Each structure stands twice: as C-alpha cells, then as structure tokens.
Amino acid sequence: METKKLQRIALNTYFFLSGLCFATWASRIPTIKDNFGLNDAQLGTILLVMPISALIGTVASGWLVSKFDSRDPLVIAFIFFALSLIGISYVNTTFLLMVLLASFSIFMRVLNIAMNAQSITLQKTYHKKIIGSFHGLWSIGGVFGVLFSTLMVKAEVSMGTHLSIIAVITILGSIVMYQNLLTNDKSVTGNKLIFGKPDTFILYLGMLIFFASICEGGMFDWSGIYFKEVVKEEVFTYGYLLFMICMALSRFFIDRLLDRIGMPKMYIFSSILITTGILSAVLFPNFWTALIGFCLVGIGVSPIFPMTYMLAGKSQKYSPGMAISIVGTYSIVGMFIGPPLIGYLSHAFGLQKAFLIIMFCGLMFIPISQLFFKNLKQEV
C-alpha cells in the first residue's frame, strides 16, 4: 500500500482512539459526581484541574514537537493517557481523583498537539482537504465511547472494568500503529515563541478556539448531567451520544462543504446552529427538544476546531506544531473557564440557565471570524 495511505490510516486510528478515551471519561462524569457526592460547584472546582494541568502539557508538547519527530511523543503520551484513565476509575479520594485527572489532561494535550501537527504535515501531500476527516474519526471514536458507556451503564458494569477495557484497547492500538506514523516531520524553523506585539493572525484564531472550547467543554462535561437532572432521563448518556454522533457525521462533510461555501460562511452557519440548539434545549427541556437541540449544537461545533487548526498551520511566523501549540493555549483557557463556570452558574441559578453561556460563546464566532478574514485580506 502507498506510504501516505498507511500514514493516513495510522493517524486516523490515533484520532479515533483519542476520541474513544475522552468520551469514555466524559460519559462517566455523572457516575463520578454521584460516587463522591459532589454538588455542581464542587464538580466545577475538580474540573478546573484539567485545564490547569493542560497548560503544562502545552508547554511540554511545544518543546517536544520542536525537538523530536512528533510520533515519539504521540505514542508515549497515548500509553500514559490510557493508564491515567484506568486510575481515574479506581481512586477513592478527591485528592487522588484530581491527581489522575491532571495526568490524564497533560498527556491528552501532548497527544492532541502531536496528532494535529502530523495531520497538517500529511495534508501537504494531498491535493484535496483531509483535515476534517481526521477530526471526524475523533468524533466517531467519541460516538463508540458513548455507545459503549451506555451499554455499560445499562448493564451496571463497574466503572473500573469499563475504563480498563477502553484503556487496554487504546494501548494496543497505539503500539500497533506506531510504525506507520510520519517520520522526519520535525520543523527546523518557526519553533521559538516570539514575545512582543501579539500576532493578530494567531490572536483571532486563538479567540475562536477559546470560545469553541467553552462550547465543546460545556457539552462534554455537562450534557450527561443536563439530561439526568434537567431532562430527568435515567439513561443520561442519550443527549451526549446524539451530540457526538451529529458532530462526527458532520465532520466527514466539512472538507466538501468548505470547498463550496468557504470558511467565512461556515463560521456564521456554525454560530446559528449552536444558538438555535441551546435555545431549544433550554426553553423546552423535554426529551425530544433537548435531544434535537444537542444534535444542532453538535453539527454547529463540528467545523470549528478543524477549520481553525487548518488556518493555524498556514502561519507565516510559526511552524505548524508551534502555531497549533500557541492556539491550543487559548483552548486550555477556554476549558479552564467554561466547564467550571457552568458548574458555578448552575449552583447559583440552575443548570438550565447556566447552559446559556454556551449559546453566548457560539454567537461570538460571527464577529471574531469576520475580523480575522478582514485582517487577512488587508495583510495580503
């Protein structure tokens, strides 16, 4: 088989496994909340550990992809990522839970930046856009993760057994696919962070990722709890599952749709869908309207990360790995603020009203994206 096809298959596998592990963790948040007897504010505080730890992962990954081929940090991070997932299910104190969440978050950040750096490098060998399909495989992994979680919850399988199965699959898959990853992709230029006046190109992309992170993070961490406590659905993974399915399916059409309508219109379209979806779930919090609302949010959120990382890879100032690492920092800040903020707002005003923060962030894609493309034309 052609080398670049093998490389694409290997990278698809890593994106899939990343989505599988993350969705497995996120779908079990309601279980963890119940096991430790946490209220929404306490859960929000614990979730703060992940974005704080991810900052360490961002610094580490930026250095790693500038010093080594990205495949070595990628496979090592995957192994420890999976081991952390096992640990999360067996701890019995909030302190140890926070330690394991910190480890999980650090290695997730390293593997995400290494994966996206590889995807941008591989994209250069193809004439058609393929970035969206990688993120689609991440979402498909997420769908399988939530589906499997739903089966485990319904069958009353212990969280330890559930998370261990997923971790073993992830470790085996990452080791098997290692040999087919891209090699010699270390950039020789643009690897140093340049201080001084902010680069508007990176700044606008970072702001888009910041608000996208609040939207995605809010849905990942709180959609299950929303269905359990607001919609009153016993199988609380249904909303998260449909959100992930819609996000996954949409990402396989992103590349084709971008060729037809372009990125500026896509950001606007995404904003409208997210706003409509959240309003549906908040104003009419019954099973079907909330389900349809979460579906619209999934479709709306799906293009933002692929598009924005694709644009970051075109930076004239930084290498792809460094540009993604810098833009990824904004993502961490979004994760730092978003899910915990929803927890605090929920504790004060109720989860239903707290979900409106996701709608606000979705609306912000319109002005920021238009400013970015206007600035881009002026630079050209």
Side-chain angles (χ1 to χ4, degrees), residues 200-248:
T200 53
F201 182 90
I202 295 293
L203 178 62
Y204 284 132
L205 294 179
M207 291 174 68
L208 287 167
I209 286 291
F210 168 77
F211 286 111
S213 296
I214 295 178
C215 291
E216 285 202 17
M219 293 300 294
F220 290 150
D221 292 358
W222 290 98
S223 58
I225 296 171
Y226 192 90
F227 254 68
K228 184 175 183 179
E229 298 183 0
V230 178
V231 181
K232 307 296 183 183
E233 175 56 47
E234 186 176 344
V235 184
F236 51 80
T237 54
Y238 282 151
Y240 184 36
L241 175 60
L242 191 63
F243 166 77
M244 292 297 294
I245 289 174
C246 291
M247 186 164 68

Side-chain angles (χ1 to χ4, degrees), residues 53 59 66 118 120 131 159 172 178 181-182 226 280 288 293 305 325 356:
S53 305
V59 173
S66 68
Q118 285 238 341
I120 289 173
I131 296 289
M159 188 169 65
L172 292 176
Y178 169 76
L181 288 170
L182 280 78
Y226 192 90
S280 298
W288 288 108
F305 272 87
S325 180
L356 291 173

Side-chain angles (χ1 to χ4, degrees), residues 216-293:
E216 285 202 17
M219 293 300 294
F220 290 150
D221 292 358
W222 290 98
S223 58
I225 296 171
Y226 192 90
F227 254 68
K228 184 175 183 179
E229 298 183 0
V230 178
V231 181
K232 307 296 183 183
E233 175 56 47
E234 186 176 344
V235 184
F236 51 80
T237 54
Y238 282 151
Y240 184 36
L241 175 60
L242 191 63
F243 166 77
M244 292 297 294
I245 289 174
C246 291
M247 186 164 68
L249 294 177
S250 302
R251 281 179 166 168
F252 286 103
F253 296 98
I254 289 171
D255 296 325
R256 210 175 306 167
L257 195 56
L258 284 176
D259 288 333
R260 291 191 176 187
I261 69 172
M263 289 189 183
K265 290 182 180 178
M266 183 66 87
Y267 278 109
I268 295 172
F269 183 55
S270 290
S271 180
I272 293 170
L273 286 174
I274 293 169
T275 302
T276 305
I278 291 297
L279 280 176
S280 298
V282 169
L283 296 177
F284 309 101
N286 57 60
F287 181 80
W288 288 108
T289 51
L291 208 60
I292 292 169

Side-chain angles (χ1 to χ4, degrees), residues 16-17 48 122 152 154 200 214 251 258 379-380:
F16 176 88
L17 291 173
L48 273 173
L122 187 59
M152 295 293 100
K154 293 190 79 169
T200 53
I214 295 178
R251 281 179 166 168
L258 284 176
E379 290 182 355
V380 174

Side-chain angles (χ1 to χ4, degrees), residues 42-352:
Q42 290 169 331
L43 178 61
T45 300
I46 287 175
L47 293 176
L48 273 173
V49 171
M50 297 187 73
I52 292 172
S53 305
L55 284 171
I56 300 171
T58 297
V59 173
S61 57
W63 180 81
L64 287 168
V65 297
S66 68
K67 296 294 182 183
F68 306 98
D69 290 345
S70 58
R71 72 172 189 163
D72 293 328
L74 178 55
V75 72
I76 293 171
F78 251 102
I79 291 171
F80 284 99
F81 178 57
L83 291 174
S84 300
L85 184 66
I86 295 175
I88 288 169
S89 63
Y90 285 106
V91 295
N92 54 14
T93 67
T94 53
F95 173 76
L96 288 176
L97 175 64
M98 293 168 76
V99 170
L100 267 298
L101 285 177
S103 174
F104 185 74
S105 183
I106 289 170
F107 291 112
M108 179 169 64
R109 178 54 47 181
V110 173
L111 67 88
N112 276 338
I113 290 175
M115 281 193 313
N116 280 287
Q118 285 238 341
S119 71
I120 289 173
T121 302
L122 187 59
Q123 171 69 79
K124 295 174 182 177
T125 67
Y126 282 82
H127 296 296
K128 64 178 182 178
K129 291 184 177 70
I130 61 171
I131 296 289
S133 65
F134 289 126
H135 290 264
L137 261 296
W138 186 93
S139 298
I140 288 292
V143 170
F144 273 86
V146 184
L147 275 172
F148 191 65
S149 295
T150 302
L151 292 174
M152 295 293 100
V153 170
K154 293 190 79 169
E156 298 183 354
V157 174
S158 72
M159 188 169 65
T161 301
H162 172 199
L163 270 59
S164 296
I165 292 170
I166 297 299
V168 170
I169 292 171
T170 299
I171 291 171
L172 292 176
S174 60
I175 292 173
V176 169
M177 287 296 169
Y178 169 76
Q179 62 182 350
N180 291 326
L181 288 170
L182 280 78
T183 57
N184 302 317
D185 65 334
K186 182 180 72 172
S187 298
V188 295
T189 60
N191 289 320
K192 292 183 178 179
L193 183 61
I194 302 171
F195 295 96
K197 183 180 179 181
D199 180 6
T200 53
F201 182 90
I202 295 293
L203 178 62
Y204 284 132
L205 294 179
M207 291 174 68
L208 287 167
I209 286 291
F210 168 77
F211 286 111
S213 296
I214 295 178
C215 291
E216 285 202 17
M219 293 300 294
F220 290 150
D221 292 358
W222 290 98
S223 58
I225 296 171
Y226 192 90
F227 254 68
K228 184 175 183 179
E229 298 183 0
V230 178
V231 181
K232 307 296 183 183
E233 175 56 47
E234 186 176 344
V235 184
F236 51 80
T237 54
Y238 282 151
Y240 184 36
L241 175 60
L242 191 63
F243 166 77
M244 292 297 294
I245 289 174
C246 291
M247 186 164 68
L249 294 177
S250 302
R251 281 179 166 168
F252 286 103
F253 296 98
I254 289 171
D255 296 325
R256 210 175 306 167
L257 195 56
L258 284 176
D259 288 333
R260 291 191 176 187
I261 69 172
M263 289 189 183
K265 290 182 180 178
M266 183 66 87
Y267 278 109
I268 295 172
F269 183 55
S270 290
S271 180
I272 293 170
L273 286 174
I274 293 169
T275 302
T276 305
I278 291 297
L279 280 176
S280 298
V282 169
L283 296 177
F284 309 101
N286 57 60
F287 181 80
W288 288 108
T289 51
L291 208 60
I292 292 169
F294 280 21
C295 175
L296 293 177
V297 176
I299 296 170
V301 164
S302 66
I304 306 299
F305 272 87
M307 284 194 300
T308 309
Y309 280 143
M310 198 184 307
L311 289 168
K314 296 179 181 179
S315 171
Q316 300 298 311
K317 191 173 182 179
Y318 296 106
S319 67
M322 182 56 71
I324 292 171
S325 180
I326 297 169
V327 170
T329 304
Y330 289 84
S331 169
I332 293 167
V333 176
M335 289 290 186
F336 181 91
I337 294 173
L341 178 61
I342 291 174
Y344 298 137
L345 289 173
S346 174
H347 189 65
F349 306 107
L351 188 56
Q352 202 170 337

